[in-house]
Amino acid sequence: MKKILKRTAKVLLYIVLFLGIYVLAGLLIPFIPVNKNKDYQSPNDLTIYIMSNGVHTDIVVPVKTEWMDWTRYISYADTDLKDSSYSYVGIGWGDKGFYLQTPTWADLKFSTAFKAMTGLSSSAFHATFYKNIVPDSSTVAINISKEDYQDLKQFIIKTFDLDDKGGSVHIPSVNDGYGDMDAFYEAKGSYNLFYTCNTWSNNALKAAHQKAALWTLLDKGIFRHYR
């Protein structure tokens, strides 16, 4: 009995130590900047945006430019309204279970959260079309060069889980999406304790040679470098 108690106490101690280190790393590492001398406000070839809903971040890009037509992967036809007048599309990566089974926090199930935290679930893209983007406390405009945009484009495309013909795979949403102009697509990778939706967005900015955190789990880890 004493051996069992000792082992249990040791396991609990390891769990507490792990959680402590995890929380400490999550709080401190985002302060370490990447590309800190990049001037994201200087005029360049085009403007993209990093947008947060308070928890989750999206990379927002023009739907069509001379360097990229995102309708090759994200179609207006996959939305409810199918309105092709929308000029921007927000692209967010995340856990497929969260996206499709948890339209609100009240719908969150333990099984969904457990799979997401442990990397046992698959991932998806959530794409949302916008007519206009107005920078505010939750949205930062980033002016970038066409060369940086090409690198951002490649990073995003490589995360799509494409079919045999190189096309994106649309996911019909059981919850009919979050709005009238959004759609879901199959993606590569697994959401987990160390790689969240915001980690993906942060890595997208790093791929585009923009200001970012060395590593972050939260949207605040990105936005602190743009304030």
Side-chain angles (χ1 to χ4, degrees), residues 11 14 31 70 84 89 93 110 119-120 123 125-126 138 146 157 160-161 186 197 207 219 223:
V11 169
Y14 287 148
F31 280 94
W70 285 102
S84 60
V89 61
W93 176 94
F110 174 79
L120 296 176
S123 62
F125 272 124
H126 179 225
S138 62
K146 60 185 178 182
I157 292 173
F160 274 97
D161 191 4
E186 297 286 357
C197 53
D219 60 338
F223 277 76

Side-chain angles (χ1 to χ4, degrees), residues 14-15 17-27 29-30 93-95 98 110 112-121 189-200 215-218:
Y14 287 148
I15 292 173
L17 286 173
F18 168 77
L19 291 175
I21 293 171
Y22 177 77
V23 170
L24 193 62
L27 291 173
I29 295 179
W93 176 94
D95 180 75
F98 261 102
F110 174 79
T112 302
F114 179 79
K115 288 180 180 179
M117 292 298 100
T118 55
L120 296 176
S121 181
S190 295
Y191 186 107
N192 58 64
L193 280 172
F194 302 97
Y195 197 95
T196 69
C197 53
N198 300 306
T199 311
W200 180 87
W215 171 76
T216 187
L217 299 170
L218 305 175

Side-chain angles (χ1 to χ4, degrees), residues 195-210:
Y195 197 95
T196 69
C197 53
N198 300 306
T199 311
W200 180 87
S201 295
N202 188 66
N203 285 353
L205 292 173
K206 287 197 286 186
H209 317 290
Q210 302 304 306

Side-chain angles (χ1 to χ4, degrees), residues 5 28 44 55 65 69 92 101 108 110 116 120-122 142 146 150 181 184 187 195 206 219:
L5 290 174
L28 296 181
N44 271 303
V55 177
T65 64
D69 180 356
Q101 300 168 23
L108 180 61
F110 174 79
L120 296 176
S121 181
S122 54
I142 304 172
K146 60 185 178 182
Q150 291 288 352
M181 284 300 294
F184 296 96
Y195 197 95
K206 287 197 286 186
D219 60 338

Side-chain angles (χ1 to χ4, degrees), residues 74-86 88-89 126-130 170-173 176-185:
I74 302 166
S75 176
Y76 291 112
D78 294 332
T79 68
D80 290 340
L81 288 184
K82 310 181 191 309
D83 187 345
S84 60
S85 68
Y86 284 60
Y88 295 90
V89 61
H126 179 225
T128 307
F129 288 99
Y130 299 94
H170 175 236
I171 306 170
S173 172
D176 202 26
Y178 297 146
D180 293 327
M181 284 300 294
D182 68 332
F184 296 96
Y185 298 90

Side-chain angles (χ1 to χ4, degrees), residues 33-99:
V34 174
N35 302 321
K36 66 178 181 178
N37 295 321
K38 190 83 170 187
D39 183 2
Y40 71 96
Q41 295 180 326
S42 6
N44 271 303
D45 297 309
L46 77 160
T47 301
I48 65 169
Y49 302 87
I50 180 74
M51 177 185 291
S52 172
N53 66 2
V55 177
H56 168 88
T57 48
D58 285 349
I59 301 293
V60 184
V61 294
V63 175
K64 295 181 182 181
T65 64
E66 60 183 288
W67 306 289
M68 181 60 187
D69 180 356
W70 285 102
T71 60
R72 292 168 51 191
Y73 299 94
I74 302 166
S75 176
Y76 291 112
D78 294 332
T79 68
D80 290 340
L81 288 184
K82 310 181 191 309
D83 187 345
S84 60
S85 68
Y86 284 60
S87 303
Y88 295 90
V89 61
I91 305 171
W93 176 94
D95 180 75
K96 187 175 179 180
F98 261 102
Y99 274 146

